[in-house]
Amino acid sequence: MSESKLNLQGDVHRRLNPLTGEWVLVSPHRSVRPWQGQTEVSDVKPLAYDPECYLCPGNARAGGLFNPQYISTFVFDNDFAALLPSGPKDVYAMGDVLFARAESGRCRVICYSPQHNLTLAQLSQAQIRLVIDAWTTEYIALGADPRISAVTIFENRGAMMGASNPHPHGQIWANENVPQEQVRESLHQANYFQTHQACLLCEYLAVEERLRERIVCENGFFIGVVPFWATWPFETLVLPRRHAAALDELDSEGRDAFAEILKELGTRYDRLFDVSFPYTMGLHQRPVDGKAHPYWHLHAHFYPPLLRSASVRKFMVGYEMLAGPQRDITPELAARRLRG
Ligand code: H2U
Ligand code: ZN
């Protein structure tokens, strides 16, 4: 490590995200500023079964189909899919300024549990393991389709994040073309691999394990860390300690450990402000375009919007939309709060 006069807990500075090449502005002195803006109301407690819910077992969905009486996980084609399996294969161009191209794919919805009033973190470790198994099955099956290049598994949790329903569920979008966020991460991991003959996230992991300033929780196979370059106040990154590019490279023990860390991290989030913590979370894994991608390191991003309480969220607006992301509370302080 270089000798540095920069005080990361006091001086205004910028941090580099090596996965995306983006910079985040950190202003630690500003975390005490007063707040008189919008506060959000938290969720009302739902029941174990909701006859109106389109995801509960046996119920009718908005598209008219009925859900089976499922007892663990249940995956189906999204009735309002943003990507469709077929369509015209063409481009549209107007000079060198207007450009568009056709895109195809599939969208799936995954119910984590038949029970309407639970969250991922409230499921038992064994139940979360079943969710991970279903994610893996979907990743492999969708990836085997030669028309699919990338599989994005994610969850919008909580009304604040735009989730349409409190029933524990997530989504899976499979694209013909690798989406831009994954293209960026792919490029940066590939460049690092070429320059260093080593995996970027394996090296990052080793640094975090040595410094132990930003680790929130860990087990034998995984760590959960507030990344050095986090932009959301309590953003975290979950990484397998042994290199794996995708879910299909985890053995049974590894999947159990993944379930354990997802439960622990989710429980810590829920305890932080004593509220069922809203977030967008998702998995980034090796594209399924038939290429090897040895530099890809499987990880999960958690992007929670909350800033200082159950009711005060961070908005990515103003400078963030016009210049770049900015944060006040440092990642090290956020990690300490999540550990506490
Ligand atoms: P979100 O809560 O993250 O929006 O996910 C719910 C998804 O479920 C959403 O994409 C789909 C919506 O299109 N859905 C169905 O496929 N069938 C339904 O009956 C309602 C919702
Ligand atoms: Zn339900």
Side-chain angles (χ1 to χ4, degrees), residues 152-186:
T152 310
I153 296 172
F154 64 98
E155 176 186 358
N156 294 321
R157 220 210 90 54
M160 197 186 278
M161 290 310 282
S164 55
N165 183 326
H167 195 110
H169 69 283
Q171 298 194 48
I172 302 167
W173 291 25
N175 283 75
E176 175 190 355
N177 291 288
V178 182
Q180 60 192 9
E181 195 65 16
Q182 286 146 64
V183 168
R184 275 209 299 182
E185 291 197 359
S186 227

Side-chain angles (χ1 to χ4, degrees), residues 92-286:
Y92 169 97
M94 205 54 76
D96 276 337
V97 284
L98 304 189
F99 188 74
R101 61 185 301 168
E103 178 71 2
S104 65
R106 279 179 74 187
C107 294
R108 311 265 286 156
V109 178
I110 168 171
C111 299
Y112 299 157
S113 153
Q115 208 176 315
H116 183 81
N117 59 351
L118 293 178
T119 64
L120 185 64
Q122 288 168 342
L123 300 180
S124 68
Q125 188 185 318
Q127 288 171 311
I128 300 175
R129 165 66 201 258
L130 294 177
V131 174
I132 292 167
D133 288 346
W135 285 341
T136 310
T137 305
E138 289 295 314
Y139 174 76
I140 293 170
L142 291 163
D145 184 336
R147 295 168 300 178
I148 299 298
S149 297
V151 178
T152 310
I153 296 172
F154 64 98
E155 176 186 358
N156 294 321
R157 220 210 90 54
M160 197 186 278
M161 290 310 282
S164 55
N165 183 326
H167 195 110
H169 69 283
Q171 298 194 48
I172 302 167
W173 291 25
N175 283 75
E176 175 190 355
N177 291 288
V178 182
Q180 60 192 9
E181 195 65 16
Q182 286 146 64
V183 168
R184 275 209 299 182
E185 291 197 359
S186 227
L187 279 175
H188 283 86
Q189 288 179 99
N191 285 344
Y192 191 93
F193 193 77
Q194 231 172 12
T195 319
H196 299 82
Q197 273 75 54
C199 161
L200 166 62
L201 286 179
C202 282
E203 303 242 302
Y204 173 60
L205 237 152
V207 172
E208 290 296 2
E209 282 173 347
R210 199 168 66 236
L211 296 177
R212 308 201 67 81
E213 289 176 318
R214 285 170 293 270
I215 295 177
V216 175
C217 48
E218 60 192 314
N219 59 36
F221 288 83
F222 279 86
I223 70 166
V225 63
V226 178
F228 181 73
W229 53 84
T231 63
W232 293 92
F234 293 97
E235 175 179 335
T236 53
L237 189 66
V238 176
L239 295 164
R241 293 186 123 129
R242 209 182 302 143
H243 186 83
L247 287 173
D248 60 356
E249 291 177 22
L250 296 180
D251 59 13
S252 181
E253 224 182 333
R255 290 196 212 173
D256 280 340
F258 193 21
E260 184 185 76
I261 202 149
L262 289 179
K263 180 160 178 70
E264 168 155 17
L265 183 62
T267 307
R268 286 180 180 278
Y269 273 138
D270 290 349
R271 284 200 196 127
L272 184 66
F273 297 135
D274 207 15
V275 66
S276 187
F277 219 68
Y279 58 69
T280 277
M281 77 80 99
L283 305 184
H284 275 160
Q285 351 185 32
R286 179 187 69 234

Side-chain angles (χ1 to χ4, degrees), residues 53 55-56 116 167:
C53 169
L55 299 180
C56 274
H116 183 81
H167 195 110

